[in-house]
Amino acid sequence: MKKAFLLLSFSIFIFAFSPETKAQETVDPQAITDNLFEQDAQHNFNVAYQYYKLKKAYKGVLMRFEETYAAYPQFSKMDEFLYIAAMSSFYLSENKGRQKVDFKDEAEKEKFAPEKMEENAVAYFGIIIEQYPNSKFKKDAEKMLKKINNVK
């Protein structure tokens, strides 16, 4: 009887602390969703960063940024993403980069008009300054805003 009781106690102990039992614990679905959004946003950021640094494909940067900002504005590197989007907008307003705006295409002409790109750059730099006061991109954003305002 004593052996049976010890065997039963040991079995319950092993089962209670087994990894399979812990796997059945409830998981916060919001944490899983946030993690998936963060991973997707990180992927978009990585691609956009390559477009920005290596290819000077500023239209591609803006497409990735807009998608990420709309889907997951809480992205952990949003200040840096805003900065490269702002710089891409600024460069497009000056007709720089390898991806040229097709002014024959009305939709593209409207979306990437130099005036609109400059407005977007100012808005993105402003968001960095206002919403990310501790960002390492804040000083650069302030310098770029002064540069844009002095050109006008």
Side-chain angles (χ1 to χ4, degrees):
M1 179 76 169
K2 196 174 189 184
K3 284 184 181 181
F5 179 74
L6 285 175
L7 185 59
L8 180 63
S9 298
F10 182 71
S11 299
I12 291 173
F13 178 79
I14 294 295
F15 179 74
F17 295 101
S18 69
E20 293 82 15
T21 305
K22 289 187 179 191
Q24 294 175 3
E25 292 177 4
T26 59
V27 177
D28 181 17
Q30 185 64 40
I32 293 171
T33 303
D34 287 347
N35 188 29
L36 290 174
F37 276 130
E38 184 74 20
Q39 288 175 0
D40 186 48
Q42 183 65 49
H43 171 74
N44 278 344
F45 173 78
N46 291 341
V47 172
Y49 190 81
Q50 296 301 317
Y51 286 166
Y52 178 75
K53 281 291 190 186
L54 300 177
K55 297 182 180 184
K56 309 234 181 292
Y58 302 127
K59 289 180 356 183
V61 171
L62 293 176
M63 301 297 272
R64 291 286 181 155
F65 169 74
E66 290 167 358
E67 176 185 330
T68 304
Y69 195 70
Y72 191 60
Q74 301 89 1
F75 175 48
S76 62
K77 293 184 179 179
M78 189 54 74
D79 60 330
E80 186 172 3
F81 214 161
L82 277 161
Y83 182 76
I84 67 171
M87 291 303 298
S88 296
S89 296
F90 176 72
Y91 291 144
L92 281 173
S93 75
E94 295 189 333
N95 201 28
K96 293 182 179 177
R98 292 190 181 138
Q99 290 179 313
K100 299 299 178 189
V101 176
D102 181 8
F103 289 106
K104 294 177 185 173
D105 181 358
E106 281 300 316
E108 190 165 313
K109 180 181 175 181
E110 185 178 322
K111 181 173 180 139
F112 297 108
E115 304 82 28
K116 185 168 188 259
M117 290 294 95
E118 188 174 290
E119 288 174 14
N120 287 352
V122 169
Y124 296 154
F125 287 132
I127 292 171
I128 294 169
I129 294 166
E130 290 176 21
Q131 294 183 9
Y132 301 94
N134 298 325
S135 172
K136 67 180 181 179
F137 300 98
K138 182 181 176 186
K139 287 182 181 179
D140 291 335
E142 290 170 336
K143 288 178 189 175
M144 286 303 298
L145 277 178
K146 286 179 184 175
K147 180 178 179 176
I148 292 170
N149 290 330
N150 287 338
V151 171
K152 287 184 180 180

